Amino acid sequence: MKPASVSSHRRHPAVRLRRVTLLVIATLSALAAEPASVLPGTQPLGFDGDPAVAMVAGIERYLDRLLALHNTRLVRSASDPESALTEDEQASRRERLRTLLGVVDEREPVGVSLVAPLSSGVAGGEPGLVGRGPGYRVFAVRWNVFRGVEGEGLLVLPDTGVPVADWIVVPDCDWSPEQVLGLAPGLPVERQFARRFAEAGCRLIIPVLIDRGSRFAGNPGVRSVKHSQRETLWRAGYEMGRTPLGYEIQKILAAADWLIANPATARATGDGDRAATTQKGPGIVGYGEGGLLAFHAGALDPRLAVVGVCGAYGLSARNPELPIYRNVWSLLPDFADPAVARLVAPRPLIVEHGAYPEVTHTDAGGGAPGRLWRPSRAEFQVAAKGARSVHAVFLDAGPDVVCGPETAERLLRAVRPDDEPGAAQGSVLTIAGGSTGNRYRTDPIARVVGKALGEEERDVSDGLPAPLKVAPENVGAPVNESERTLRQYRQLLEDTQWLMRESRHVRQAFWSAADRRDAAAFAESAAPYRDFFRTNVVGLIPPASLPPRPRTRLLYETNGYRGFEVILDVHPDILAEGILLVPTDLGRGERRPVVVCQHGLEGRPRDVADPRVENGAYHQYACQLAERGFVTFAPQNPYIGGTRFRQVLRKAQPLGLTLWSFIVRQHEVITEWLAAQDFVDPERIAFYGLSYGGKTAMRVPVLVDRYCLSICSADYNEWIWKNVSAREPYSYLWTIEYDMPEWNLGNTFNYAELSWLIFPRPFMVERGHDDGVAPDEWVAYEYARTRRHYVKLGLGDRTAIEFFDGPHSINGQGTFAFLHRRLNWPDPAR
C-alpha cells in the first residue's frame, strides 16, 4: 500500500520544531495485512468501537456488580439473628456513621428562644404564640446548634403543662412545620401527622428543613447554574466533610438536648416549675426527608427512645439514583438501611411503607439528576427482612398514608411488657397489611414502645386512634416561611464558608505528625498520609486481575515518529486505552524517557497525540515531544460523556470509590507495560497533564510510583476555595461539574499537600495569566507552599512554576525544558 503524503500540521508558534511529513495509512483492513501495522510483541487490535464509551460503560458494569454484591451481603448479615451488635460494636459503628454524615461538630449548650411575630404578644397574648389547638398551644421558636447555625420550627406545649411524652416530629423538607400541624394550607388532613401527637398531649418540636427548590440558589451577577439549595449545600459541605443530612441531624439532636435538659415545663421558654417524668428520652418520627433524618438521628443517638420512619426506608440499595443531596461517601459497604436499623436496636423502630415523596431532579439547570420514589412492596420487604435481627415493626400502610393511624398507635400506645417475658430482647419482625384491610394485633413491640416512653400502663384495644380533632387556629401574624427558609439556608452555607476559611489550620493540625528534619525523614513520615489519601479520598479497587494482553494498530507515521493505538486489560470490563508515539530514530538497544500526556475534560488521546488534530488547548504537545525524541503515551481517561460519567461517579461514591479508583489502576497497568518495552527507560516515565489532566497530575502520581515526575498544567490552584467558595466566580459551586467535590478533602489535602506526597520527585506547574480556572493570586499563593516545602528540605531545584501570557492551554516552553533537564534528554532547542 502506497501511503499518501500530507503537508505538515500547524505548530504552536512558541516552539521551533522541524517540518514533518505525515504518512497516512488508508484503511484498517489494509493495516491488518501489514506486519508493520502492529507494535512488535503485541496482538492486532480489532476493536472498532469508541474506546471512551466502552471504558465508561465498563466501569459502570463493574460498579453495578459491586453494588449488587454489597447489598446482598449487607442484607444477609443484618438479617442474621446471631449477628446482633455488642454495645462496643454499636458505639464504634455509630462513630463511623457520624463521621460519614459529617455529624462531627460539638454542639453548644442549647437554649430555645421565641420567634415573636410583630403582632404577637398583644391584647394579653403570649409572646411567640402562633397557634392554638384543642388542648395545646403552638410557639415559633429557634435554638442554637453551633457557630451561628440555628434550628427553627414550632414548639407545641400541652395546656395541661406536663406532657405525656416528648416527640421530635420531622416533616419532609418540602413541607413546613405549620403544614404538618394544620396551621397552614397545602396538606390534606390525613397527612397532618404532627396533630396526632399534639392531640395526644405530647410536647413537640417540629423543625424546619431546607426545601428542594432553587429559589435561593445560584450566585447573582456571575455565571451560575440553578440547582437546588440542598445540592448547593451538598457540594460545599462534601468537600469539607459535611452533608446536608448531617447539618439537619445536628439541629434535631440539639432539639433533643433541650428536651432532655428541660424534662417537663408549662412555659414555652423552659422556665418555671418542672414536673418529674419517667420518660427516658424523646421519641422521634419523620416523613420523607424527615423520615431519613429521624432514622439516622435515632441510629446515632441512643437517647432517642423510639424511632418512627415514614416514607424513607428501603431506598438505600439504590442510593446512586437518589438526589445528590442524599449522597454519602462510603455509605453502602456498612450503612445501608438494614445496617442502620441495627444501630437503633434494642430500642423500638417503627417503619411505615406508606406514601413516599416522589421527586425528580434533572440536569437541565446544571445540577445532578436524581429522583425519589415509593419502593415496591417486594423491595420494601427485602429491606425489612434484612433487619429481622433488630426489634422493629414494618407496616405496609398503603401509597397515600403518612404516619397513619396504625403507625401513630404503635408509637403512642403504652403497655408495660411485664406479661411478655423477653419481649425487649426478641427479634420482632411484623409486616402488617394495613393497605389490604388487615388490622395488626397487639404484639410485644407495642408494649416496648410504651415502656420506652415511660407512659402509664393502658388498655390496648384492637381499634384505631380517635379521629383528628378540630384543626388548630393561627394566632397573630403567621411565620414568614420564605424568610425563615432563606435564613436557615444562609446559615448553613455560611458555615461551609467558615470551614473553608479555617481549613488551612485544620490541615496544618492534620499534618502535624510529618517529620520535616530532612527529605528522607519527610518521605518516610508521609507514607501514612499517602495511605490515608488512597483509602479515604480516592478509594481503590483491587490491582489488575488480568494480564495486559496488549493489542495495537498503527494509526499514522511521520518522518519523526510512528503512532499506535494501544488497548490493555485491567479487570473484566475495565480496559486502558491510548496512543503511543515512538520516535523513528531509535538506535538498537536504546532506551528512551517517556512522557505520559493527559487530556482534559471530555478529551481524547487524539487531541494531544494525533498530528492531524489541532486543538487550541493542547497544540499536539505529545507530537511535539515525540519530535524532540521522547516516547509519549496519551491515555484515555474516563471523564468523558457529560452527565453519563458523572452518574457513574455517583455509583462509585457510596461505595467509597471515585473515578480515580479506576484511573489509578489503569495507569499502573500502562506504566508497567511501558516499563517492559525494550525501547523505554523504566526509571524515566514522566506525567504531564492539562486541565482535568492537571487534576490527574495532582492525584495519580501520588499513588503510582512509576511516575518519576509530574507537571500540572492549567489546573493547579487553591483547590479548596475553587470548590467551596460561594462568592468567587471561579467556583465549581456554581457550575455543572458536580463531580468535582471530593470527600473531606478540605480538611486533609489541598494542592500543596498533594505536591508534598509527590515529593521528593520533581514537580512543576504551568500557568497562563488568562486562564479562567482561577486568578494568578490563588495559584501563586498555593504554589508558594509547594516551593517552600521543596526548598526547606533541600530540593528546591526540583520544583518550578512558569507563568505565561496566555489562556487555558499548553505553553510548552518552560515545561519542555523541565522535562529535558529532569529526564536527562538533550534539548534540541538549545
Side-chain angles (χ1 to χ4, degrees):
M1 179 179 63
K2 183 179 179 181
S5 178
V6 181
S7 61
S8 64
H9 48 290
R10 184 162 56 89
R11 288 297 175 198
H12 183 31
V15 181
R16 296 186 297 110
L17 292 168
R18 64 183 180 276
R19 184 180 181 87
V20 297
T21 301
L22 175 65
L23 309 179
V24 181
I25 308 300
T27 65
L28 293 177
S29 59
L31 279 173
E34 298 274 353
S37 67
V38 175
L39 187 72
T42 67
Q43 301 174 15
L45 175 58
F47 178 77
D48 292 330
D50 186 329
V53 172
M55 181 181 292
V56 174
I59 292 173
E60 184 168 29
R61 289 193 298 273
Y62 184 100
L63 290 168
D64 286 340
R65 289 195 299 270
L66 202 56
L67 285 164
L69 180 64
H70 273 299
N71 284 321
T72 300
R73 286 177 176 173
L74 191 56
V75 168
R76 186 181 299 133
S77 172
S79 64
D80 181 1
E82 302 299 322
S83 67
L85 300 174
T86 67
E87 288 187 9
D88 287 346
E89 287 173 331
Q90 278 195 324
S92 175
R93 294 200 181 189
R94 283 193 183 107
E95 189 61 31
R96 171 68 174 159
L97 180 58
R98 195 173 283 115
T99 298
L100 296 180
L101 292 171
V103 185
V104 294
D105 296 287
E106 183 176 354
R107 294 188 300 277
E108 301 167 353
V110 67
V112 170
S113 60
L114 300 172
V115 181
L118 292 177
S119 59
S120 70
V122 299
E126 296 180 79
L129 184 69
V130 295
R132 287 185 181 275
Y136 59 89
R137 293 157 297 149
V138 185
F139 298 85
V141 294
R142 65 170 62 119
W143 58 95
N144 57 302
V145 184
F146 53 71
R147 291 194 300 267
V149 172
E150 297 175 320
E152 286 196 58
L154 300 179
L155 173 66
V156 178
L157 296 178
D159 288 341
T160 58
V162 180
V164 170
D166 285 339
W167 282 88
I168 300 171
V169 180
V170 194
D172 181 61
C173 62
D174 283 341
W175 295 358
S176 71
E178 291 76 17
Q179 287 178 312
V180 296
L181 195 61
L183 277 174
L187 293 180
V189 171
E190 59 271 17
R191 293 196 170 193
Q192 297 167 15
F193 66 100
R195 286 175 60 185
R196 300 190 187 280
F197 298 86
E199 292 176 5
C202 299
R203 179 172 60 163
L204 312 181
I205 288 183
I206 312 174
V208 65
L209 306 181
I210 306 298
D211 65 65
R212 300 184 182 94
S214 60
R215 53 185 166 163
F216 305 126
N219 191 356
V222 302
R223 63 186 178 115
S224 178
V225 298
K226 203 70 171 167
H227 45 63
S228 73
Q229 289 120 205
R230 295 188 74 83
E231 178 171 339
T232 300
L233 295 175
W234 178 85
R235 291 192 190 200
Y238 194 82
E239 190 88 357
M240 303 311 305
R242 308 300 194 279
T243 66
L245 296 176
Y247 272 121
E248 290 178 330
I249 287 171
Q250 288 277 41
K251 294 182 183 185
I252 288 168
L253 297 183
D257 294 341
W258 184 82
L259 289 171
I260 292 168
N262 298 269
T265 176
R267 295 182 61 188
T269 60
D271 299 326
D273 297 332
R274 296 177 180 175
T277 178
T278 58
Q279 183 174 334
K280 294 181 180 180
I284 185 168
V285 60
Y287 166 72
E289 212 70 23
L292 187 69
L293 292 167
F295 187 34
H296 286 86
L300 292 178
D301 195 335
R303 299 176 306 166
L304 298 172
V306 59
V307 179
V309 180
C310 306
Y313 191 90
L315 298 177
S316 68
R318 295 167 63 181
N319 179 277
E321 299 173 51
L322 301 175
I324 198 168
Y325 44 80
R326 289 194 179 189
N327 186 17
V328 177
W329 167 258
S330 199
L331 180 76
L332 291 183
D334 297 306
F335 297 111
D337 286 349
V340 176
R342 297 173 74 188
L343 298 182
V344 177
R347 293 164 292 143
L349 171 65
I350 316 296
V351 182
E352 179 185 84
H353 182 229
Y356 282 65
E358 297 190 17
V359 175
T360 299
H361 297 280
T362 72
D363 60 358
R371 67 188 185 97
L372 295 172
W373 68 95
R374 184 179 192 261
S376 68
R377 193 171 192 270
E379 288 178 302
F380 183 79
Q381 284 184 321
V382 168
K385 290 176 181 177
R388 71 169 67 248
S389 66
V390 305
H391 213 107
V393 170
F394 294 84
L395 299 171
D396 190 2
D400 298 319
V401 176
V402 174
C403 194
E406 297 186 44
T407 303
E409 184 179 12
R410 294 269 178 164
L411 293 168
L412 290 169
R413 292 280 182 185
V415 178
R416 296 188 184 279
D418 300 337
D419 57 341
E420 295 286 344
Q425 296 84 33
S427 297
V428 179
L429 174 66
T430 301
I431 303 180
S435 60
T436 60
N438 297 325
R439 293 279 183 86
Y440 65 86
R441 65 184 185 280
T442 302
D443 59 27
I445 191 66
R447 295 182 170 87
V448 174
V449 171
K451 182 178 180 182
L453 289 174
E455 297 174 354
E456 298 280 332
E457 183 172 341
R458 298 177 183 176
D459 180 44
V460 179
S461 71
D462 198 37
L464 298 176
L468 289 170
K469 300 176 184 178
V470 177
E473 296 181 348
N474 284 291
V475 175
V479 173
N480 189 315
E481 180 272 334
S482 181
E483 289 182 1
R484 181 177 62 187
T485 300
L486 178 58
R487 186 164 56 242
Q488 290 279 289
Y489 169 68
R490 284 179 172 171
Q491 285 176 5
L492 294 186
L493 187 59
E494 173 52 32
D495 193 66
T496 67
Q497 305 307 289
W498 183 89
L499 292 169
M500 175 190 72
R501 294 189 295 269
E502 290 295 306
S503 64
R504 178 171 64 91
H505 306 291
V506 178
R507 291 192 303 274
Q508 187 175 13
F510 176 73
W511 278 85
S512 61
D515 188 343
R516 291 178 168 82
R517 289 175 299 166
D518 55 46
F522 180 85
E524 182 178 354
S525 68
Y529 292 98
R530 187 174 289 103
D531 290 340
F532 185 96
F533 179 70
R534 177 186 293 110
T535 303
N536 297 289
V537 177
V538 169
L540 283 184
I541 61 174
S545 61
L546 298 174
R549 197 169 62 89
R551 288 89 74 198
T552 67
R553 62 180 164 215
L554 183 65
L555 296 178
Y556 39 75
E557 183 173 3
T558 76
N559 61 355
Y561 55 85
R562 303 174 80 208
F564 295 89
E565 183 179 10
V566 180
I567 288 185
L568 307 169
D569 290 334
V570 181
H571 287 292
D573 286 327
I574 307 299
L575 58 87
E577 189 266 349
I579 294 177
L580 175 71
L581 303 185
V582 182
T584 55
D585 62 350
L586 276 166
R588 180 179 295 274
E590 182 183 12
R591 290 182 177 269
R592 296 278 182 94
V594 180
V595 182
V596 173
C597 302
Q598 189 64 65
H599 64 75
L601 180 65
E602 302 292 342
R604 294 176 179 272
R606 289 180 182 269
D607 293 331
V608 306
D610 190 332
R612 298 165 295 186
V613 176
E614 174 53 44
N615 184 303
Y618 301 109
H619 303 297
Q620 303 160 343
Y621 76 106
C623 300
Q624 294 188 50
L625 289 167
E627 290 169 359
R628 289 170 170 262
F630 295 103
V631 175
T632 67
F633 189 87
Q636 177 69 61
N637 270 3
Y639 37 74
I640 185 170
T643 297
R644 172 72 187 282
F645 91 78
R646 294 186 173 101
Q647 290 303 101
V648 171
L649 173 61
R650 283 290 321 280
K651 292 186 176 184
Q653 288 169 328
L655 293 169
L657 299 173
T658 61
L659 286 184
W660 304 115
S661 308
F662 298 88
I663 294 171
V664 165
R665 295 307 190 194
Q666 289 171 322
H667 279 252
E668 286 177 343
V669 170
I670 288 168
T671 55
E672 289 301 319
W673 178 75
L674 287 170
Q677 303 309 300
D678 59 8
F679 53 85
V680 168
D681 182 345
E683 302 302 318
R684 293 187 289 170
I685 302 177
F687 190 94
Y688 183 3
L690 174 92
S691 194
Y692 224 125
K695 291 172 184 56
T696 311
M698 297 307 304
R699 292 159 178 80
V700 170
V702 168
L703 302 176
V704 178
D705 293 337
R706 277 287 184 191
Y707 286 123
C708 68
L709 68 78
S710 184
I711 299 175
C712 177
S713 178
D715 186 67
Y716 188 99
N717 63 75
E718 219 293 359
W719 186 250
I720 308 308
W721 286 61
K722 171 74 173 172
N723 279 278
V724 182
S725 174
R727 182 171 183 176
E728 298 293 344
Y730 316 99
S731 175
Y732 280 129
L733 199 60
W734 311 119
T735 70
I736 64 171
E737 286 99 343
Y738 59 86
D739 52 300
M740 288 301 173
E742 294 162 280
W743 174 246
N744 202 28
L745 194 72
N747 294 314
T748 52
F749 304 95
N750 205 335
Y751 269 17
E753 286 85 358
L754 290 177
S755 72
W756 301 349
L757 294 181
I758 294 170
F759 178 89
R761 291 167 289 172
F763 173 74
M764 184 174 179
V765 173
E766 184 176 49
R767 161 71 191 178
H769 289 308
D770 299 326
D771 192 336
V773 165
D776 285 344
E777 292 84 350
W778 285 18
V779 178
Y781 165 80
E782 190 66 12
Y783 178 73
R785 300 176 62 231
T786 291
R787 177 152 185 82
R788 181 174 62 243
H789 181 80
Y790 274 75
V791 169
K792 288 295 186 180
L793 293 178
L795 298 176
D797 63 328
R798 294 191 182 184
T799 188
I801 187 169
E802 180 189 43
F803 287 95
F804 66 94
D805 191 13
H808 186 80
S809 68
I810 294 290
N811 188 46
Q813 295 188 48
T815 51
F816 284 11
F818 188 79
L819 288 168
H820 281 288
R821 183 170 68 256
R822 302 310 316 183
L823 295 177
N824 194 26
W825 185 251
D827 187 344
R830 293 183 178 272

